[in-house]
Amino acid sequence: MTTEALLALEHVTKRFGQVVIAEDLSFAVGAGEVVGIVGPNGAGKTSLFGLISGDLACDAGEIRFTGRVITRIGPAARCRLGIGRTYQVPRPFGDMTVFENLLVAAQQGGGLRRRASYAAAVEALERTGLSGQANLPAERLGLLQRKRLELARAMATQPTLLLLDEVAGGLTDPEVAQLVEIVRGVNAQGIAVIWIEHVVRALTAVVSRLTCLAGGVFVGDGEPDAVLANTAVREVFLGTDVTAALAGGSLDAGSAGSEGSQS
Ligand SMILES: Nc1ncnc2c1ncn2[C@@H]1O[C@H](COP(=O)(O)OP(=O)(O)OP(=O)(O)O)[C@@H](O)[C@H]1O
Ligand SMILES: [Mg+2]
């Protein structure tokens, strides 16, 4: 008997016209695993999260979560099953407080009742270091705190799989280090994480497995140093001097980063 992965994509294909997001792509993530995804701008990384979260439909293939086929169920139902995601461009309700944003996430996203949603919101605040900002309107938060709120909102839905989309983009080195600690803490609770990030050093500080999306397929998949040393990965990870980024010359290995590229 084989053990079913937490998340499994089987032969998934997705195209936007000529743009290939996934081409017969198969990929599995185990419970509690932390996997990093890099790739050039526009490779389809965010779209891949859309396929997993249910915001986008696959053209072909199957997605399973905890052994259950979820290919045709919507994002709200997938969230309740335990798939939480952040968005590359944070999407809080700006006129609501931080705490209210988390209550909405816990109730609407996580399907929690009132008492449980308060507990989930408080825990998400503590996990992400936002307790001091609980009563601030979300629109008053700075970039780091908005990134934390995005993470907290995903956490409040009580995921067993957390999808992080460039939460470190645009942050200073100390802020990135704080974020890395938060992600470590989340994973220490047993939550599996898939983290898309151009800030390679943030990824390698946390992930045990790395892969690179390009042309609808994963190029390299395995131990992070080996994947970053892979010639094919270097070739597709355009404009990127991975060695310099890892050596400390720059934290940001992305050619241009992609902060706000979807806005
Ligand atoms: N809903 C959509 N309809 C049509 N094309 C889309 C849609 N969403 C994304 N695309 C296109 O698909 C490609 C991949 O976009 P995506 O945002 O997934 O890339 P990415 O790897 O996340 O890039 P980045 O590193 O810049 O964040 C781009 O060419 C984008 O313009
Ligand atoms: Mg993206």
Coordinates of all heavy atoms in Angstrom, one line a residue, residues 160-245:
T160 N -3.8 23.0 6.5 CA -2.8 22.0 6.7 C -1.8 22.1 5.6 O -0.7 21.5 5.6 CB -3.4 20.5 6.7 OG1 -4.3 20.4 5.6 CG2 -4.1 20.3 8.0
L161 N -2.1 22.9 4.5 CA -1.2 23.2 3.5 C -1.3 24.7 3.3 O -2.4 25.3 3.0 CB -1.6 22.5 2.2 CG -0.8 23.0 0.9 CD1 0.7 22.6 1.1 CD2 -1.4 22.3 -0.3
L162 N -0.2 25.4 3.4 CA -0.1 26.8 3.2 C 0.7 27.2 2.0 O 1.8 26.8 1.8 CB 0.6 27.4 4.5 CG 0.7 28.9 4.6 CD1 -0.6 29.6 4.6 CD2 1.5 29.3 5.9
L163 N 0.1 28.0 1.1 CA 0.7 28.4 -0.1 C 1.1 29.9 0.0 O 0.3 30.8 0.2 CB -0.3 28.3 -1.3 CG -1.0 27.0 -1.5 CD1 -2.1 27.1 -2.6 CD2 0.0 25.8 -1.7
L164 N 2.4 30.1 0.0 CA 3.0 31.5 0.2 C 3.5 32.0 -1.1 O 4.4 31.4 -1.7 CB 4.1 31.5 1.2 CG 3.8 30.9 2.6 CD1 5.0 31.0 3.5 CD2 2.7 31.8 3.3
D165 N 2.9 33.1 -1.6 CA 3.3 33.7 -2.8 C 4.1 35.0 -2.6 O 3.5 36.1 -2.4 CB 2.1 34.0 -3.7 CG 2.5 34.2 -5.2 OD1 3.7 34.3 -5.5 OD2 1.5 34.3 -6.0
E166 N 5.4 34.9 -2.7 CA 6.3 36.1 -2.6 C 6.0 37.0 -1.4 O 5.9 38.2 -1.5 CB 6.2 36.9 -3.9 CG 6.7 36.0 -5.1 CD 7.3 36.8 -6.2 OE1 7.8 37.9 -6.0 OE2 7.2 36.3 -7.3
V167 N 6.0 36.4 -0.2 CA 5.7 37.2 1.0 C 7.0 37.9 1.4 O 6.9 38.8 2.2 CB 5.2 36.3 2.2 CG1 3.8 35.9 2.0 CG2 6.0 35.0 2.4
A168 N 8.1 37.6 0.9 CA 9.4 38.3 1.3 C 9.8 39.4 0.3 O 10.7 40.2 0.6 CB 10.5 37.3 1.4
G169 N 9.0 39.6 -0.8 CA 9.4 40.6 -1.8 C 9.3 42.0 -1.2 O 8.3 42.3 -0.5
G170 N 10.3 42.8 -1.5 CA 10.3 44.2 -1.1 C 10.7 44.4 0.4 O 10.7 45.6 0.8
L171 N 11.0 43.4 1.1 CA 11.3 43.6 2.5 C 12.8 43.8 2.7 O 13.6 43.3 1.9 CB 10.9 42.4 3.4 CG 9.4 42.1 3.3 CD1 9.0 40.9 4.3 CD2 8.5 43.3 3.7
T172 N 13.2 44.4 3.8 CA 14.7 44.5 4.2 C 15.2 43.2 4.7 O 14.4 42.3 5.0 CB 14.9 45.6 5.2 OG1 14.3 45.1 6.4 CG2 14.3 46.9 4.9
D173 N 16.5 43.1 4.7 CA 17.1 41.8 5.2 C 16.6 41.4 6.6 O 16.2 40.2 6.8 CB 18.6 41.9 5.2 CG 19.2 41.8 3.8 OD1 18.4 41.9 2.8 OD2 20.4 41.7 3.7
P174 N 16.6 42.3 7.6 CA 16.1 41.9 8.9 C 14.6 41.5 8.9 O 14.2 40.6 9.6 CB 16.3 43.2 9.8 CG 17.3 44.0 9.1 CD 17.2 43.7 7.6
E175 N 13.9 42.2 8.0 CA 12.4 41.8 7.9 C 12.3 40.5 7.3 O 11.4 39.7 7.7 CB 11.7 42.9 7.1 CG 11.5 44.2 7.8 CD 11.0 45.3 6.8 OE1 11.1 45.2 5.6 OE2 10.6 46.3 7.3
V176 N 13.1 40.2 6.3 CA 13.1 38.8 5.7 C 13.4 37.8 6.8 O 12.8 36.7 6.8 CB 14.1 38.7 4.5 CG1 14.2 37.3 4.1 CG2 13.6 39.6 3.4
A177 N 14.4 38.1 7.6 CA 14.8 37.1 8.6 C 13.7 36.9 9.6 O 13.4 35.7 10.0 CB 16.0 37.7 9.4
Q178 N 12.9 37.9 9.9 CA 11.8 37.7 10.8 C 10.7 36.9 10.2 O 10.1 36.0 10.8 CB 11.1 39.1 11.2 CG 12.0 40.0 12.1 CD 11.4 41.4 12.2 OE1 10.2 41.6 12.1 NE2 12.2 42.3 12.5
L179 N 10.5 37.1 8.9 CA 9.5 36.3 8.1 C 9.9 34.9 8.1 O 9.0 34.0 8.2 CB 9.4 36.9 6.7 CG 8.1 36.6 6.0 CD1 6.9 37.2 6.6 CD2 8.3 37.1 4.5
V180 N 11.2 34.6 7.9 CA 11.7 33.2 7.8 C 11.4 32.5 9.2 O 10.9 31.4 9.2 CB 13.2 33.2 7.5 CG1 13.8 31.9 7.9 CG2 13.5 33.5 6.1
E181 N 11.6 33.3 10.3 CA 11.3 32.7 11.6 C 9.8 32.4 11.7 O 9.4 31.3 12.3 CB 11.7 33.6 12.7 CG 13.2 33.6 13.0 CD 13.7 32.2 13.1 OE1 13.2 31.4 13.9 OE2 14.7 31.9 12.3
I182 N 8.9 33.2 11.2 CA 7.5 33.0 11.3 C 7.1 31.7 10.5 O 6.4 30.9 11.0 CB 6.7 34.2 10.7 CG1 6.9 35.4 11.7 CG2 5.2 33.8 10.5 CD1 6.3 36.7 11.1
V183 N 7.7 31.6 9.3 CA 7.4 30.4 8.5 C 7.9 29.2 9.1 O 7.2 28.1 9.1 CB 8.0 30.6 7.0 CG1 7.7 29.3 6.2 CG2 7.4 31.8 6.3
R184 N 9.1 29.2 9.8 CA 9.6 28.1 10.5 C 8.6 27.7 11.6 O 8.4 26.5 11.8 CB 10.9 28.4 11.2 CG 12.1 28.3 10.3 CD 13.3 27.9 11.1 NE 14.5 27.9 10.2 CZ 15.4 28.9 10.2 NH1 15.3 29.9 11.0 NH2 16.4 28.8 9.3
G185 N 8.1 28.7 12.3 CA 7.2 28.4 13.4 C 5.9 27.7 12.9 O 5.4 26.8 13.5
V186 N 5.4 28.2 11.8 CA 4.2 27.7 11.2 C 4.4 26.2 10.8 O 3.6 25.3 11.1 CB 3.8 28.5 9.9 CG1 2.8 27.7 9.0 CG2 3.3 29.9 10.3
N187 N 5.6 25.9 10.2 CA 5.9 24.6 9.8 C 6.1 23.7 11.0 O 5.7 22.5 11.0 CB 7.1 24.6 8.9 CG 7.5 23.2 8.5 OD1 8.6 22.7 8.8 ND2 6.6 22.5 7.8
A188 N 6.6 24.2 12.1 CA 6.9 23.4 13.3 C 5.5 22.9 13.9 O 5.5 22.0 14.7 CB 7.6 24.3 14.3
Q189 N 4.4 23.6 13.5 CA 3.1 23.1 13.9 C 2.6 21.9 13.1 O 1.5 21.5 13.3 CB 2.1 24.2 13.7 CG 2.1 25.4 14.7 CD 1.0 26.3 14.4 OE1 1.1 27.1 13.5 NE2 -0.1 26.3 15.1
G190 N 3.4 21.6 12.1 CA 3.1 20.4 11.2 C 2.4 20.9 9.9 O 1.9 20.0 9.2
I191 N 2.3 22.2 9.7 CA 1.6 22.7 8.5 C 2.6 22.6 7.3 O 3.8 23.1 7.4 CB 1.2 24.1 8.7 CG1 0.1 24.2 9.8 CG2 0.6 24.7 7.4 CD1 -0.2 25.6 10.3
A192 N 2.2 21.9 6.2 CA 3.0 21.9 5.0 C 3.0 23.2 4.3 O 2.0 24.0 4.4 CB 2.5 20.8 4.1
V193 N 4.1 23.6 3.7 CA 4.2 24.9 3.1 C 4.8 24.8 1.7 O 5.8 24.0 1.5 CB 5.2 25.8 3.9 CG1 5.3 27.2 3.2 CG2 4.7 26.0 5.3
I194 N 4.2 25.4 0.7 CA 4.8 25.6 -0.6 C 5.0 27.1 -0.7 O 4.1 27.9 -0.6 CB 3.9 25.1 -1.8 CG1 3.5 23.7 -1.5 CG2 4.7 25.2 -3.1 CD1 2.5 23.2 -2.6
W195 N 6.3 27.5 -0.9 CA 6.7 28.9 -0.9 C 7.3 29.3 -2.2 O 8.4 28.9 -2.6 CB 7.6 29.2 0.3 CG 8.0 30.6 0.5 CD1 7.5 31.7 -0.2 CD2 8.8 31.1 1.6 NE1 8.0 32.8 0.4 CE2 8.8 32.5 1.5 CE3 9.5 30.5 2.7 CZ2 9.5 33.3 2.4 CZ3 10.2 31.3 3.5 CH2 10.2 32.7 3.4
I196 N 6.6 30.2 -2.9 CA 7.1 30.8 -4.2 C 7.8 32.0 -3.8 O 7.3 32.9 -3.1 CB 5.9 31.2 -5.1 CG1 5.2 30.0 -5.7 CG2 6.5 32.1 -6.2 CD1 3.9 30.4 -6.4
E197 N 9.1 32.2 -4.2 CA 9.8 33.3 -3.7 C 11.0 33.6 -4.7 O 11.7 32.7 -5.2 CB 10.4 33.0 -2.3 CG 10.9 34.2 -1.6 CD 9.9 35.4 -1.5 OE1 9.0 35.3 -0.7 OE2 10.1 36.3 -2.2
H198 N 11.2 34.9 -4.9 CA 12.4 35.3 -5.7 C 13.6 35.6 -4.7 O 14.7 35.6 -5.1 CB 12.1 36.6 -6.4 CG 11.4 36.4 -7.7 ND1 11.9 35.9 -8.9 CD2 10.0 36.6 -8.0 CE1 11.0 35.8 -9.8 NE2 9.8 36.2 -9.3
V199 N 13.3 35.7 -3.4 CA 14.3 36.0 -2.4 C 14.9 34.6 -2.0 O 14.4 34.0 -1.1 CB 13.8 36.7 -1.2 CG1 14.9 37.1 -0.2 CG2 13.1 38.0 -1.7
V200 N 15.9 34.2 -2.8 CA 16.3 32.8 -2.7 C 16.9 32.4 -1.3 O 16.6 31.3 -0.8 CB 17.4 32.5 -3.8 CG1 18.0 31.1 -3.6 CG2 16.8 32.6 -5.2
R201 N 17.6 33.4 -0.7 CA 18.1 33.1 0.6 C 17.1 32.9 1.7 O 17.3 32.2 2.6 CB 19.1 34.2 1.0 CG 20.5 33.8 0.5 CD 21.5 34.9 0.8 NE 21.5 35.4 2.1 CZ 22.0 36.6 2.5 NH1 22.6 37.3 1.6 NH2 21.9 37.0 3.7
A202 N 15.9 33.6 1.5 CA 14.8 33.3 2.4 C 14.3 31.9 2.3 O 14.1 31.2 3.3 CB 13.7 34.3 2.2
L203 N 14.2 31.5 1.0 CA 13.7 30.1 0.8 C 14.7 29.1 1.3 O 14.3 28.1 2.0 CB 13.7 29.9 -0.7 CG 12.4 30.3 -1.5 CD1 12.5 29.7 -2.9 CD2 11.2 29.7 -0.8
T204 N 16.0 29.2 1.0 CA 16.9 28.2 1.4 C 17.1 28.1 2.9 O 17.6 27.1 3.4 CB 18.3 28.3 0.7 OG1 18.8 29.7 0.9 CG2 18.2 28.1 -0.8
A205 N 16.7 29.2 3.6 CA 16.8 29.1 5.1 C 15.7 28.2 5.7 O 15.8 27.8 6.8 CB 16.6 30.5 5.6
V206 N 14.7 27.9 4.9 CA 13.6 27.1 5.4 C 13.3 25.8 4.7 O 13.0 24.8 5.4 CB 12.3 28.0 5.4 CG1 11.1 27.3 6.0 CG2 12.5 29.4 6.0
V207 N 13.4 25.9 3.4 CA 12.9 24.7 2.7 C 13.9 23.5 2.7 O 15.1 23.7 2.7 CB 12.5 25.1 1.2 CG1 11.6 26.2 1.1 CG2 13.8 25.4 0.4
S208 N 13.3 22.3 2.6 CA 14.2 21.1 2.5 C 14.2 20.6 1.1 O 14.9 19.8 0.7 CB 13.6 20.1 3.4 OG 12.2 19.9 3.2
R209 N 13.3 21.2 0.3 CA 13.2 20.8 -1.1 C 12.9 22.0 -2.0 O 12.1 22.9 -1.6 CB 12.0 19.8 -1.2 CG 11.8 19.3 -2.6 CD 10.6 18.3 -2.5 NE 9.9 18.1 -3.7 CZ 8.7 17.7 -3.9 NH1 7.9 17.4 -2.8 NH2 8.1 17.6 -5.0
L210 N 13.5 22.1 -3.2 CA 13.4 23.2 -4.0 C 13.1 22.8 -5.5 O 13.6 21.7 -5.9 CB 14.6 24.1 -4.0 CG 14.6 25.4 -4.7 CD1 13.8 26.4 -3.9 CD2 16.0 26.0 -4.9
T211 N 12.3 23.5 -6.2 CA 12.1 23.2 -7.6 C 11.9 24.5 -8.4 O 11.7 25.6 -7.8 CB 10.9 22.2 -7.8 OG1 10.9 21.9 -9.2 CG2 9.6 22.8 -7.4
C212 N 12.1 24.4 -9.7 CA 12.1 25.6 -10.5 C 11.0 25.4 -11.6 O 11.1 24.4 -12.4 CB 13.4 25.9 -11.1 SG 13.6 27.2 -12.3
L213 N 10.0 26.3 -11.7 CA 9.0 26.2 -12.7 C 9.4 27.0 -14.0 O 9.7 28.2 -13.8 CB 7.7 26.7 -12.2 CG 6.5 26.6 -13.2 CD1 6.1 25.1 -13.4 CD2 5.3 27.3 -12.7
A214 N 9.4 26.4 -15.1 CA 9.7 27.1 -16.4 C 9.1 26.3 -17.5 O 9.2 25.1 -17.6 CB 11.2 27.2 -16.6
G215 N 8.4 27.0 -18.4 CA 7.8 26.4 -19.6 C 6.8 25.3 -19.2 O 6.6 24.3 -20.0
G216 N 6.1 25.4 -18.1 CA 5.1 24.5 -17.7 C 5.5 23.2 -17.1 O 4.7 22.3 -16.8
V217 N 6.9 23.1 -16.9 CA 7.4 21.9 -16.2 C 8.3 22.3 -15.1 O 8.8 23.5 -15.0 CB 8.2 21.0 -17.2 CG1 7.2 20.5 -18.2 CG2 9.3 21.7 -17.8
F218 N 8.6 21.4 -14.2 CA 9.6 21.6 -13.1 C 10.9 21.2 -13.6 O 11.1 20.1 -14.1 CB 9.2 20.9 -11.8 CG 8.1 21.6 -11.1 CD1 6.9 20.9 -10.8 CD2 8.2 22.9 -10.7 CE1 5.9 21.5 -10.1 CE2 7.1 23.5 -10.0 CZ 6.0 22.8 -9.7
V219 N 11.9 22.1 -13.5 CA 13.3 21.8 -13.9 C 14.0 21.7 -12.6 O 14.2 22.6 -11.8 CB 13.9 23.0 -14.7 CG1 15.3 22.7 -15.1 CG2 13.0 23.4 -15.8
G220 N 14.5 20.4 -12.3 CA 15.1 20.2 -11.0 C 14.1 20.1 -9.9 O 13.1 20.9 -9.9
D221 N 14.3 19.2 -9.0 CA 13.4 19.0 -7.8 C 14.2 18.2 -6.8 O 14.5 17.1 -7.0 CB 12.1 18.3 -8.3 CG 11.1 18.2 -7.1 OD1 11.5 18.5 -5.9 OD2 9.9 17.9 -7.4
G222 N 14.5 18.9 -5.7 CA 15.3 18.1 -4.7 C 15.9 19.0 -3.7 O 15.4 20.1 -3.4
E223 N 17.1 18.6 -3.3 CA 17.8 19.3 -2.2 C 18.2 20.7 -2.8 O 18.7 20.8 -3.9 CB 19.1 18.5 -1.9 CG 19.8 18.8 -0.6 CD 20.8 19.9 -0.8 OE1 21.5 19.8 -1.8 OE2 20.8 20.8 0.0
P224 N 17.9 21.8 -2.0 CA 18.1 23.2 -2.6 C 19.4 23.5 -3.2 O 19.4 24.0 -4.3 CB 17.8 24.0 -1.4 CG 16.9 23.2 -0.5 CD 17.3 21.8 -0.7
D225 N 20.5 23.2 -2.6 CA 21.8 23.5 -3.1 C 22.0 22.8 -4.5 O 22.6 23.4 -5.4 CB 22.9 23.2 -2.2 CG 23.0 24.1 -1.0 OD1 22.4 25.2 -1.1 OD2 23.6 23.8 0.0
A226 N 21.6 21.6 -4.5 CA 21.8 20.8 -5.8 C 21.0 21.4 -6.9 O 21.4 21.5 -8.0 CB 21.4 19.3 -5.5
V227 N 19.7 21.8 -6.6 CA 18.9 22.4 -7.6 C 19.4 23.7 -8.1 O 19.4 24.0 -9.3 CB 17.4 22.5 -7.0 CG1 16.5 23.3 -8.0 CG2 16.8 21.1 -6.8
L228 N 19.9 24.5 -7.2 CA 20.5 25.8 -7.6 C 21.8 25.7 -8.4 O 22.1 26.6 -9.1 CB 20.7 26.7 -6.3 CG 19.4 27.2 -5.6 CD1 19.7 27.8 -4.3 CD2 18.6 28.1 -6.5
A229 N 22.4 24.6 -8.2 CA 23.7 24.4 -8.9 C 23.4 23.7 -10.3 O 24.3 23.7 -11.1 CB 24.6 23.4 -8.1
N230 N 22.2 23.3 -10.5 CA 21.8 22.6 -11.7 C 21.9 23.6 -12.9 O 21.3 24.7 -12.9 CB 20.4 22.1 -11.5 CG 19.8 21.3 -12.7 OD1 20.0 21.7 -13.8 ND2 19.1 20.3 -12.4
T231 N 22.6 23.2 -13.9 CA 22.8 24.1 -15.1 C 21.5 24.4 -15.8 O 21.3 25.6 -16.1 CB 23.7 23.3 -16.1 OG1 24.9 22.9 -15.5 CG2 24.2 24.3 -17.2
A232 N 20.6 23.5 -15.9 CA 19.3 23.8 -16.5 C 18.5 24.8 -15.7 O 17.9 25.7 -16.3 CB 18.5 22.5 -16.7
V233 N 18.6 24.7 -14.4 CA 17.9 25.6 -13.6 C 18.5 27.0 -13.8 O 17.8 28.0 -13.9 CB 18.0 25.2 -12.1 CG1 17.4 26.3 -11.2 CG2 17.2 23.9 -11.8
R234 N 19.8 27.1 -13.8 CA 20.5 28.4 -14.0 C 20.1 29.0 -15.3 O 19.9 30.2 -15.4 CB 22.0 28.2 -13.9 CG 22.5 28.0 -12.5 CD 23.9 27.5 -12.5 NE 24.4 27.5 -11.1 CZ 25.0 28.5 -10.5 NH1 25.3 29.6 -11.2 NH2 25.4 28.4 -9.3
E235 N 20.0 28.2 -16.3 CA 19.7 28.7 -17.7 C 18.3 29.3 -17.7 O 18.1 30.3 -18.3 CB 19.8 27.6 -18.7 CG 21.3 27.5 -19.2 CD 21.5 26.3 -20.0 OE1 20.6 25.6 -20.5 OE2 22.7 26.0 -20.3
V236 N 17.3 28.6 -17.1 CA 15.9 29.1 -17.2 C 15.6 30.2 -16.2 O 14.7 31.0 -16.3 CB 14.9 28.0 -17.0 CG1 15.0 27.0 -18.2 CG2 15.0 27.3 -15.7
F237 N 16.4 30.2 -15.1 CA 16.2 31.2 -14.0 C 16.9 32.5 -14.5 O 17.9 33.0 -14.0 CB 16.8 30.7 -12.7 CG 16.2 31.3 -11.5 CD1 15.0 32.1 -11.5 CD2 16.7 31.0 -10.2 CE1 14.5 32.6 -10.4 CE2 16.2 31.5 -9.1 CZ 15.1 32.3 -9.1
L238 N 16.3 33.1 -15.5 CA 16.9 34.1 -16.3 C 17.5 35.3 -15.6 O 16.8 35.8 -14.7 CB 15.9 34.7 -17.3 CG 15.7 33.8 -18.6 CD1 14.6 34.5 -19.4 CD2 17.0 33.7 -19.4
G239 N 18.6 35.8 -15.9 CA 19.2 37.0 -15.4 C 19.6 36.9 -13.9 O 19.8 37.8 -13.2
T240 N 19.7 35.6 -13.5 CA 19.9 35.4 -12.1 C 21.3 34.9 -11.8 O 21.7 33.9 -12.3 CB 18.9 34.3 -11.6 OG1 17.6 34.8 -11.9 CG2 19.0 34.1 -10.1
D241 N 22.0 35.6 -10.9 CA 23.3 35.1 -10.5 C 23.0 34.5 -9.1 O 23.1 35.1 -8.1 CB 24.3 36.2 -10.4 CG 25.7 35.6 -10.1 OD1 25.8 34.5 -9.6 OD2 26.7 36.3 -10.4
V242 N 22.7 33.2 -9.1 CA 22.3 32.5 -7.9 C 23.5 32.5 -6.9 O 23.3 32.6 -5.7 CB 21.8 31.1 -8.2 CG1 21.6 30.3 -7.0 CG2 20.6 31.1 -9.1
T243 N 24.7 32.3 -7.4 CA 25.8 32.2 -6.5 C 26.0 33.5 -5.7 O 26.2 33.5 -4.5 CB 27.1 31.9 -7.3 OG1 26.8 30.8 -8.2 CG2 28.3 31.6 -6.4
A244 N 25.9 34.6 -6.5 CA 26.1 35.9 -5.8 C 25.0 36.1 -4.8 O 25.2 36.6 -3.7 CB 26.1 37.1 -6.8
A245 N 23.8 35.7 -5.1 CA 22.6 35.9 -4.2 C 22.8 35.1 -2.9 O 22.6 35.6 -1.8 CB 21.3 35.5 -4.9

